[in-house]
Amino acid sequence: MTDLLHTLPNFPTKLYTHLIPSLEKKLITTTDLLTLEPLEIARRAQLPLLDVRRLTRHVLARLQSQLGVLSEERVLREYEGHLGIADTASLSRNGSTIVTKWSVISTLDPILDSALSGGMPTGYITEVTGERFSLFFSLHFDVGLTKHRLSGAGKTQFLLSLLITAQLPSPYGLSRPTVYISTEHPLPTPRLTQILRTHPQLSSFTPLQKPSLSRIFSIQTPDLESQDHILAYQVPVLLARHNAGLIVIDSIAANYRAERSSTSSSGAALGLRTSQLLRLGHQLRSLAREHDCAIVVSNQVADRFAPTSPSPPQPRQTPSSPPHPLSPSPHGSSQGMQSLDAAIMPPPPPSNPQPQPHQSLSIYPPLTLDHQQNFFTGWSSSPPPSLHHEQTPQSASQQSMQNQNPKTPALGLVWTNQIACRIALVKERNLGFGGEGSNSTGDGERLWKRYMKIAFASWGPSTGIMGKGVEFEIWAGGVRSLGRKPEGEE
């Protein structure tokens, strides 16, 4: 730490006299403070982790104040007040203060906003998960093999709409710029232009209030290393300089999946990924809390495979059972044929069937993860409760399709504990009208139905384990509901 005063001559070292001798003994420099993890520095120097983290943030804040990113008054208030401890006034906020500062980003659809309990709030991490787009090929005799792209559940379309509405004034948005961080594909500016030109509600604002593409900052992170660097250093500077109100990451799992496919799946590799996800969650929560911005990420899903239920054991034949129907009968051939029909044909259903007890929600024990994930993934592998309410054949078939094809969001339970809300976008085949769809356009796109489900949210109710959610569609102006109230809300 001998180079600390050379880098920051006016740094108040007297606040950290209990740390600097140990850091100098272990030859830890100012560059190490800015590049290494505080946990690693605390282990090497055998110092308290919270004190090392406070010193690291203080050094970083001093450097940012020299560059003009942070004001000198903020550094003095948060780090150089009472013995260098950060200002705790923000920790003593009461309920009325939180309510008055409640800011949300609308979807410009009242039914979708109602399901989201008002919209996307600032200060939280919200995940939008669902299936990706799929590619399929068709063979034509005149043009040969043709590649088609079938859109997925609509995650990117949902996020693009938020990039625009966040720029609107209250109560629709925040009147602030937005940030789009892409890990797979660049920002689709033609689609954004189409939304701006098509949505009728956007034309009612004045030219100064209308959103524009110039207020959307686009960043690409091709690998996990660049993603960590951008979130740790570049994004905080961008938020401080431009006061961005929304950060969109599309998608959060792409770089982690690529990193895992190139490494082994041993216990050490999984432990490393767990620590990376914990650090990522801490970074995003700190950004959302300190800059009062909303962070919305998209996530991929994987198929969930459930074991087949074992078939019931067949009853064993006892010596007192009747003779085989093909054996000679002493009463003639007519009785032999009757016994043969009784053996082949199933018994008729009873005229007054007795109600059966309701099936359990899962074949797994209640405290296992395989059972509990039905409540926080957005997809349930349980059978539909057809004995509790009447269902039409069409609704029963669609409900069974959703239950028979459950999905699990990527990054597991560790990442689930880092977010405040999970929105599941479910895409189902429209089985009405013989599989052609009630609103088919001939290109196969409208043969699918899309539903928005709230798996869990810290600020509002969920859709419920058996609820289908709000049906919506993708159109030229973004996303919109189909005019029905949320189904199955708790």
Side-chain angles (χ1 to χ4, degrees):
M1 294 298 295
T2 55
D3 62 337
L4 179 59
L5 294 179
H6 295 282
T7 307
L8 298 171
N10 297 325
F11 187 82
T13 56
K14 61 180 181 180
L15 299 176
Y16 303 98
T17 53
H18 61 295
L19 303 179
I20 293 179
S22 299
L23 296 175
E24 291 179 349
K25 184 178 179 180
K26 297 297 181 180
L27 302 179
I28 296 176
T29 63
T30 306
T31 304
D32 295 333
L33 284 178
L34 300 176
T35 56
L36 297 179
E37 290 295 325
L39 180 60
E40 182 178 352
I41 298 176
R43 288 176 178 175
R44 287 173 53 181
Q46 297 182 356
L47 293 173
L49 175 60
L50 295 180
D51 293 344
V52 174
R53 184 173 295 170
R54 187 181 301 116
L55 172 62
T56 303
R57 292 178 178 177
H58 194 173
V59 172
L60 182 61
R62 269 290 181 175
L63 291 174
Q64 291 177 345
S65 65
Q66 289 187 356
L67 297 176
V69 178
L70 294 180
S71 63
E72 187 72 19
E73 292 78 8
R74 180 177 176 180
V75 176
L76 292 174
R77 182 180 68 253
E78 295 186 359
Y79 296 97
E80 300 175 13
H82 177 63
L83 298 180
I85 299 178
D87 185 15
T88 58
S90 60
L91 301 179
S92 59
R93 296 180 300 175
N94 52 22
S96 60
T97 306
I98 297 176
V99 171
T100 54
K101 293 188 63 176
W102 181 261
S103 303
V104 295
I105 303 174
S106 172
T107 61
L108 298 183
D109 187 281
I111 297 180
L112 294 179
D113 287 344
S114 176
L116 293 170
S117 299
M120 296 288 187
T122 58
Y124 295 92
I125 305 176
T126 304
E127 179 194 271
V128 181
T129 183
E131 298 181 64
R132 295 183 60 190
F133 67 88
S134 57
L135 298 176
F136 66 96
F137 298 87
S138 60
L139 181 61
H140 301 275
F141 292 101
D142 51 350
V143 296
L145 193 63
T146 306
K147 182 174 70 172
H148 304 272
R149 172 170 170 164
L150 187 63
S151 63
K155 301 188 301 294
T156 302
Q157 305 297 324
F158 194 87
L159 298 179
L160 294 180
S161 300
L162 295 178
L163 289 174
I164 293 176
T165 56
Q167 304 178 33
L168 297 175
S170 179
Y172 302 101
L174 308 173
S175 298
R176 298 162 64 182
T178 56
V179 182
Y180 182 80
I181 302 176
S182 173
T183 60
E184 297 180 287
H185 48 75
L187 178 66
T189 53
R191 176 59 176 149
L192 287 171
T193 304
Q194 184 185 28
I195 297 175
L196 289 172
R197 186 178 60 252
T198 306
H199 202 289
Q201 198 165 351
L202 297 177
S203 59
S204 61
F205 295 95
T206 63
L208 295 178
Q209 294 176 340
K210 284 185 178 180
S212 63
L213 298 182
S214 61
R215 303 188 67 192
I216 302 177
F217 300 95
S218 178
I219 305 174
Q220 284 191 270
T221 58
D223 50 49
L224 190 57
E225 182 179 359
S226 63
Q227 175 180 312
D228 293 340
H229 176 79
I230 288 172
L231 292 177
Y233 299 102
Q234 296 185 15
V235 172
V237 175
L238 189 148
L239 293 177
R241 288 183 177 180
H242 301 279
N243 192 27
L246 171 66
I247 300 177
V248 169
I249 304 178
D250 188 17
S251 70
I252 196 67
N255 289 330
Y256 287 98
R257 281 188 165 184
E259 189 78 13
R260 184 180 180 184
S261 62
S262 60
T263 59
S264 62
S265 58
S266 61
L270 294 178
L272 177 61
R273 194 181 75 160
T274 298
S275 62
Q276 291 173 345
L277 292 176
L278 293 175
R279 184 173 67 251
L280 174 64
H282 174 72
Q283 288 178 345
L284 295 180
R285 287 193 304 272
S286 299
L287 292 175
R289 182 177 61 254
E290 294 175 3
H291 300 275
D292 192 27
C293 64
I295 297 182
V296 184
V297 303
S298 67
N299 196 3
Q300 303 168 4
V301 296
D303 291 314
R304 188 192 312 169
F305 297 95
T308 58
S309 56
S311 58
Q314 300 294 332
R316 298 181 60 182
Q317 199 171 20
T318 59
S320 60
S321 60
H324 196 273
L326 296 181
S327 61
S329 175
H331 301 286
S333 60
S334 60
Q335 285 189 353
M337 293 302 296
Q338 291 177 0
S339 60
L340 177 62
D341 294 340
I344 297 177
M345 299 297 294
S351 58
N352 296 321
Q354 297 294 329
Q356 299 294 329
H358 177 54
Q359 293 175 303
S360 66
L361 290 176
S362 176
I363 61 177
Y364 302 101
L367 297 181
T368 59
L369 177 62
D370 295 316
H371 173 78
Q372 294 294 328
Q373 67 182 350
N374 294 324
F375 301 92
F376 61 80
T377 59
W379 282 266
S380 172
S381 58
S382 60
S386 57
L387 298 178
H388 282 258
H389 60 275
E390 295 183 358
Q391 288 182 319
T392 62
Q394 179 180 350
S395 62
S397 60
Q398 290 180 350
Q399 183 73 41
S400 62
M401 173 179 289
Q402 179 182 348
N403 294 328
Q404 292 175 3
N405 297 276
K407 310 293 181 181
T408 299
L411 304 183
L413 184 62
V414 176
W415 171 249
T416 302
N417 292 326
Q418 308 303 312
I419 60 179
C421 174
R422 168 167 286 161
I423 302 173
L425 302 183
V426 182
K427 182 179 179 182
E428 295 180 1
R429 181 77 179 218
N430 188 2
L431 300 181
F433 296 90
E436 293 298 328
S438 59
N439 45 9
S440 174
T441 58
D443 56 357
E445 183 64 26
R446 299 298 296 274
L447 298 179
W448 299 88
K449 288 187 174 183
R450 294 178 173 89
Y451 297 91
M452 186 190 75
K453 296 181 60 177
I454 310 300
F456 61 88
S458 60
W459 61 83
S462 63
T463 303
I465 184 173
M466 301 308 299
K468 296 180 70 67
V470 180
E471 185 177 1
F472 71 97
E473 66 175 355
I474 300 173
W475 66 299
V479 294
R480 62 183 177 187
S481 63
L482 293 182
R484 286 190 288 270
K485 293 183 178 180
E487 301 179 12
E489 281 195 351
E490 290 183 344

